Amino acid sequence: MNLQTFLDDVASIVAASDDENEITKRVAERLSALLDSGYRLPRELTRPSPDHHVNYPLHLASGWCVAVVVWAPGQRTPVHGHETWGVVGIYSGAEREIRYAKPTGPGPLVELGEQVFRRGEVTVCCTTDDDVHSVVAESDEPTIGIHVYGADIGTVERRRYDPATGEVQWFAGGWHTP
Ligand SMILES: [Fe+2]
């Protein structure tokens, strides 16, 4: 599968439904097919930063986007939400995802469990009502994910949490320049 076919498929899926569970299930199938096809990202979108993980825009559409997220070994995200749906496919390396219940009030976050995803694996990371996690890169090589979101994930205002207190800080992740 080439990238354009994948993007056309996602556009059709997003246009055909408002049901996040339906959209993420179908996008996950297509992302899995893209990874299985041996698709290769442009090299400039696979470079980690020594300071923090980076988000490169692969495709920005109206109401959804595809991001390439690159971690150097050992880098991790804070606990955060997305305010939309998201599907993550692992292009190289491995990531450990720690999931939390989305808080409905003040207080410490409740951890739901963790799982490791490796190259070729795809997971529905989020729907708007279930979107709180942190991610750790767990490989000797850079961890690279292809992420599809139901919003422009570089500009959407979303929550960062202190899991010990539940305190929220709003932030926008921004996009990095390849
Ligand atoms: Fe995330």
Side-chain angles (χ1 to χ4, degrees), residues 77 80-82 88 125-126 131 133-135 147 149 158:
T77 70
H80 64 273
H82 310 75
V88 170
C125 86
C126 15
D131 72 333
H133 71 176
S134 64
V135 175
H147 296 206
Y149 293 107
R158 50 203 182 104

Side-chain angles (χ1 to χ4, degrees), residues 25-78:
K25 179 167 162 280
R26 296 186 64 201
V27 169
E29 289 167 1
R30 303 317 296 150
L31 184 50
S32 197
L34 180 70
L35 292 171
D36 287 348
S37 75
Y39 167 70
R40 302 306 295 169
L41 283 166
R43 182 175 297 185
E44 64 269 21
L45 300 184
T46 64
R47 293 195 185 109
S49 156
D51 303 325
H52 48 68
H53 71 281
V54 288
N55 305 318
Y56 299 123
L58 184 61
H59 185 75
L60 297 177
S62 177
W64 60 279
C65 76
V66 184
V68 179
V69 184
V70 184
W71 287 265
Q75 287 179 342
R76 62 192 307 145
T77 70

